[in-house]
Amino acid sequence: MAAATTAAAAARVGLLYDERMCAHATPDGEEHPENPERLRAIWRKLSADGVASRCMIMKAKEAEDKYIASVHSQNHIKLMRSISSKEYDSRRNKIARKFNSIYFNKGSSESAFLAAGSVIEVAEKVAAGELSSAIALVRPPGHHAEHNEAMGFCLFNNVAIAADYLLNERTDLGIKKILIVDWDVHHGNGTQKMFYSDPRVLFFSVHRFDYGSFYPAEGDASYCFIGEGDGKGYNINVPWEHGKCGDADYIAAWDHVLLPVAEAFNPDIVLVSAGFDAALGDPLGGCCITPNGYALLLTKLLGFAQGRIVMALEGGYNLRSIANSVSACAKVLLGDKFRFDTPDMQPFESSWRVIQAVRDELKTFWPVLSNRLPENISLRSRPSQIELYSSGSDSEVEDLPDAIASVNIIQITYGIISESLSKLNLDEDKIATKTTSSNVMVEGPTDSVEPQNDGSAAVSTEGISSLSSTWRSELSKVYVWYASFGSNMWTPRFLCYIQGGKAEGMNIPCFGSHDTSPPRGSMWKTVPHRLFFGRSSTPCWGTGGVAFLNPEINHTENSYVCMYKITLEQFNDVLFQENRLVKENGESGKTESPDSPLIGLSEIEFVSRNKGVHLAPIKDSWYSNVLYLGEEDNLPILTMTCPSSDVERCRSGELPLCPPSKTYSATLIRGLMEGKHLDADAAASYINTAATRGLTTGAYVEAS
């Protein structure tokens, strides 16, 4: 009798699909990864596999504004409601360009409200016991959408709206604690922010991070962002350092982070932000989870909340892999048995290191994470052959063996920062000519290098590995002036980059330089570059923008810089740390940094001649642009800032301009006052002006 009851309960699986959500499409029919065929491909697969006929099929209904308003602003709701109306026909595309990775058409409004309402609908029925579990096939996706902003293909945050609805609108259902599991390959930035201080929601996101360069490229995807106030400890990020992570890596994150914490949390329902762009074959994710891998991850969640699970579709852009993966998950919810088999069950060494770092960060809040990880685990440092195989389309895998074709083959679209910076290529496919000295590759003839828009040129450090064994001793004898315009203006903070540790206001410590000798001197000056604050958070300072200098010279305004006389070896160590290239080896406990310098003697000559250099090996990092600001006492003055491409992305709205947090502002003001050029009021005014002024002359941005 018990077995029959269990089987009957397992069969009450809701499946919501509504063709109306396919009306959201690009305005002119141009190709886009987030397109209506994603839903249709899943539905065809579920129908062909006989899965759909075993589920309770549900239709969507639009969410009411009052429920969406629990997590989104009235202005945002109003815009999403009206964006598809005729009054916006002439400016719809222009408005879309103001957002990060967003398009609108005449079907966007209805689709957005249906997607949000669909997740509410299935979550309510599962919470009420009418369904044992459910899958909401919705689009547009939701986990990137923030309180007042659409971004990353997402218009409303569907899962967040449903979670808030259960907690605050339907208290009669008894849902007091919700576990949100976000296994989309991208960080669920919007969901994180909406519940960052709420201990009723345990948010778990496992995602590619790539040292902060993978979309959405925000520092708060780091493992050190664990919540605030009452919600501290209830935000868990597992940020992979590179692509190719697959079944074994995710299973390790489940077994050693998610499952023990979830057991202690004991949720009343589990909501899964079910993106399938970490699947093998996805063109955007670059990871390698198989359909059976997803099935096993979901199976491990069935032990919580009496199996009350709601899956809401997020990303996933390979039609074959997303359809196969959703089908595998649906079969799990229906109670089907499956055999888990993977070609390589070894997690990456880097994944093991990340898992240990996550546990260390959270063990104060979850004592179950205090236990040591298993030792003598077999780990790997490189991908398997199947993971390295590249395919351009679904059709190209039709003739492969079934075991492989069923999940497609990975298409590699994103580069990975190499652990050794000695074998990297140019930014663009141009003829390269070697200079003398350290074999640096530069574009064009050595006596006439064409600068980029910011007055700098791109350089690759291929060949520089010849210095790897001796570069530190050689560069320790060469001095430069390092010009700081941000938090490093305050000497105690800058010394963290030299001697390690952290100063007041910092969330995480610095590793320090190999040479911990203090600067040989310091001085202040002004430079003809505009100070601005971009991005929206960092692991070190938390929420708020951080300082950048516009690489373009602007003689109508000046910015203050504090210059430190340090060795070129120390300058490279600061550059490594600013760009998150220094890591701690989980096994030895020692810190590891690149074995080659980013700036050597030849680069110094190149920088001084061309006024700057964009470092190709770290081209996607925040501070990959080294500027030459002149000389002092016959020594070059160098600083590091963003590339011109990032400035353009800030101008267009693709990257946010964001005022600094109070803590970060206080550090900047301390530095300015320490230089005795400005008093507290003048320093605060200087920072506020930079924070509220846009990147075009006379333009200001609204400070929040």
Side-chain angles (χ1 to χ4, degrees):
M1 185 68 178
T5 302
T6 302
R12 296 200 319 272
V13 177
L15 178 61
L16 190 147
Y17 172 79
D18 197 312
E19 181 70 18
R20 289 178 292 170
M21 282 181 279
C22 294
H24 174 62
T26 52
D28 299 316
E30 62 266 32
E31 291 186 4
H32 194 280
E34 205 295 282
N35 62 71
E37 285 305 308
R38 297 173 62 241
L39 290 193
R40 293 171 179 144
I42 296 171
W43 182 251
R44 288 194 298 268
K45 176 66 175 175
L46 296 181
S47 299
D49 286 355
V51 170
S53 62
R54 299 167 60 194
C55 297
M56 295 182 63
I57 306 303
M58 305 169 64
K59 289 294 184 181
K61 69 177 184 180
E62 291 192 7
E64 296 181 41
D65 288 12
K66 63 180 180 180
Y67 300 139
I68 299 176
S70 64
V71 300
H72 289 293
S73 70
Q74 290 292 344
N75 286 340
H76 182 62
I77 296 170
K78 182 179 179 181
L79 177 62
M80 293 303 102
R81 177 69 75 184
S82 56
I83 193 66
S84 296
S85 63
K86 287 186 177 181
E87 66 175 295
Y88 280 88
D89 282 352
S90 62
R91 49 198 175 109
R92 189 177 296 128
N93 292 346
K94 183 178 180 180
I95 292 173
R97 287 193 293 270
K98 293 181 179 180
F99 296 105
N100 183 338
S101 304
I102 289 294
Y103 64 77
F104 297 121
N105 76 334
K106 293 182 179 181
S108 297
S109 292
E110 183 182 34
S111 296
F113 281 86
L114 286 171
S118 297
V119 184
I120 290 177
E121 181 78 359
V122 298
E124 184 176 39
K125 291 190 180 300
V126 171
E130 298 177 35
L131 297 170
S132 59
S133 57
I135 301 174
L137 301 179
V138 297
R139 60 177 296 275
H143 70 150
H144 291 310
E146 300 194 349
H147 176 67
N148 195 40
E149 182 178 358
M151 67 176 288
F153 311 161
C154 303
L155 303 188
F156 287 138
N157 197 311
N158 308 315
V159 166
I161 293 167
D164 191 277
Y165 176 81
L166 294 180
L167 289 170
N168 298 317
E169 298 294 335
R170 290 300 310 273
T171 55
D172 58 301
L173 296 176
I175 302 297
K176 298 179 179 179
K177 292 185 292 182
I178 296 178
L179 168 61
I180 298 178
V181 176
D182 189 331
W183 69 38
D184 190 281
V185 77
H186 303 97
H187 179 235
N189 55 290
T191 314
Q192 170 173 302
K193 291 174 182 175
M194 289 167 180
F195 299 108
Y196 202 59
S197 58
D198 193 337
R200 299 175 299 170
V201 175
L202 175 62
F203 177 66
F204 175 89
S205 178
V206 55
H207 48 268
R208 272 189 71 174
F209 186 57
D210 293 19
Y211 305 99
S213 65
F214 195 75
Y215 191 90
E218 295 181 357
D220 59 4
S222 169
Y223 64 82
C224 63
F225 282 80
I226 61 173
E228 64 184 8
D230 293 339
K232 203 163 189 179
Y234 291 89
N235 192 87
I236 302 176
N237 288 322
V238 180
W240 300 140
E241 295 178 356
H242 53 72
K244 315 297 189 300
C245 293
D247 295 346
D249 304 281
Y250 281 77
I251 291 167
W254 255 236
D255 290 347
H256 299 297
V257 180
L258 175 58
L259 299 185
V261 173
E263 184 174 0
F265 180 66
N266 191 23
D268 297 314
I269 194 170
V270 180
L271 306 183
V272 182
S273 274
F276 294 94
D277 41 8
L280 188 65
D282 190 88
L284 299 188
C287 286
C288 302
I289 305 181
T290 66
N292 274 5
Y294 281 115
L296 183 57
L297 297 181
L298 186 60
T299 299
K300 288 175 177 284
L301 295 177
L302 283 173
F304 304 103
Q306 298 82 48
R308 293 193 289 187
I309 292 178
V310 172
M311 298 181 64
L313 188 67
E314 298 282 3
Y317 309 102
N318 178 302
L319 301 186
R320 179 185 291 265
S321 64
I322 192 175
N324 287 335
S325 298
V326 173
S327 182
C329 288
K331 291 174 182 177
V332 167
L333 297 181
L334 287 165
D336 291 3
K337 303 297 182 183
F338 70 96
R339 183 173 66 89
F340 180 72
D341 186 22
T342 185
D344 192 338
M345 272 300 294
Q346 294 177 322
F348 282 111
E349 294 172 355
S350 61
S351 300
W352 201 247
R353 183 170 59 248
V354 166
I355 289 168
Q356 181 63 68
V358 173
R359 288 168 60 95
D360 288 344
E361 192 73 29
L362 289 162
K363 62 186 178 184
T364 302
F365 306 94
W366 304 101
V368 69
L369 300 181
S370 298
N371 300 328
R372 292 179 60 87
L373 284 174
E375 298 180 355
N376 301 319
I377 296 295
S378 180
L379 303 172
R380 58 185 177 138
S381 59
R382 60 184 60 189
S384 65
Q385 288 300 311
I386 188 173
E387 292 165 343
L388 287 172
Y389 196 96
S390 175
S391 172
S393 69
D394 289 339
S395 61
E396 294 176 10
V397 297
E398 293 294 342
D399 297 327
L400 291 171
D402 291 342
I404 298 177
S406 64
V407 294
N408 208 341
I409 303 298
I410 188 169
Q411 178 178 345
I412 302 171
T413 58
Y414 287 97
I416 301 171
I417 297 177
S418 172
E419 293 193 6
S420 169
L421 294 172
S422 60
K423 295 181 179 180
L424 293 152
N425 297 320
L426 289 168
D427 276 347
E428 301 174 5
D429 295 326
K430 295 183 179 180
I431 297 175
T433 304
K434 292 183 180 180
T435 66
T436 57
S437 186
S438 61
N439 295 329
V440 180
M441 304 286 283
V442 298
E443 299 173 347
T446 57
D447 58 349
S448 179
V449 178
E450 182 179 352
Q452 297 179 345
N453 294 335
D454 56 4
S456 65
V459 169
S460 166
T461 53
E462 182 173 1
I464 205 167
S465 59
S466 61
L467 291 177
S468 61
S469 61
T470 60
W471 74 270
R472 287 195 173 276
S473 61
E474 291 182 3
L475 301 189
S476 68
K477 303 169 187 174
V478 179
Y479 282 90
V480 298
W481 289 101
Y482 163 52
S484 170
F485 49 84
S487 60
N488 286 337
M489 293 187 295
W490 187 40
T491 302
R493 191 275 185 268
F494 171 68
L495 289 178
C496 295
Y497 276 140
I498 301 299
Q499 299 171 346
K502 62 181 183 179
E504 182 180 347
M506 295 169 59
N507 294 324
I508 55 175
C510 296
F511 291 103
S513 172
H514 281 240
D515 178 2
T516 60
S517 304
R520 294 296 180 94
S522 64
M523 60 173 30
W524 285 76
K525 69 178 299 179
T526 58
V527 294
H529 295 267
R530 172 172 286 189
L531 176 70
F532 70 97
F533 294 91
R535 306 284 177 165
S536 58
S537 63
T538 68
C540 185
W541 299 104
T543 303
V546 290
F548 296 96
L549 278 190
N550 189 337
E552 300 170 358
I553 293 176
N554 185 337
H555 291 289
T556 65
E557 56 189 321
N558 291 310
S559 296
Y560 289 97
V561 295
C562 178
M563 306 194 311
Y564 299 99
K565 185 178 180 181
I566 59 175
T567 69
L568 193 50
E569 178 195 15
Q570 290 175 317
F571 182 81
N572 274 280
D573 281 333
V574 174
L575 195 55
F576 294 157
Q577 292 173 84
E578 283 279 20
N579 290 288
R580 301 176 62 80
L581 301 179
V582 184
K583 300 176 292 183
E584 186 172 4
N585 188 309
E587 296 180 0
S588 66
K590 297 180 179 179
T591 58
E592 298 176 348
S593 58
D595 58 10
S596 301
L598 288 166
I599 298 291
L601 296 178
S602 292
E603 287 82 3
I604 290 291
E605 179 182 349
F606 180 88
V607 168
S608 62
R609 188 170 65 245
N610 294 281
K611 309 306 180 187
V613 56
H614 186 200
L615 300 167
I618 57 169
K619 62 181 181 179
D620 295 323
S621 298
W622 288 7
Y623 292 94
S624 59
N625 202 8
V626 174
L627 300 184
Y628 172 82
L629 302 177
E631 289 189 355
E632 188 70 37
D633 295 335
N634 296 318
L635 296 179
I637 303 170
L638 306 178
T639 193
M640 55 195 74
T641 187
C642 62
S644 288
S645 58
D646 278 8
V647 176
E648 292 306 314
R649 293 170 69 194
C650 287
R651 284 194 177 116
S652 68
E654 182 181 350
L655 289 178
L657 290 173
C658 185
S661 66
K662 292 181 179 179
T663 302
Y664 188 60
S665 292
T667 304
L668 300 173
I669 292 170
R670 279 176 170 175
L672 290 163
M673 292 174 62
E674 186 180 70
K676 296 184 171 50
H677 288 282
L678 300 173
D679 60 20
D681 290 341
S685 176
Y686 169 75
I687 297 302
N688 184 63
T689 299
T692 55
R693 179 182 54 199
L695 281 167
T696 55
T697 303
Y700 286 77
V701 295
E702 183 178 350
S704 60

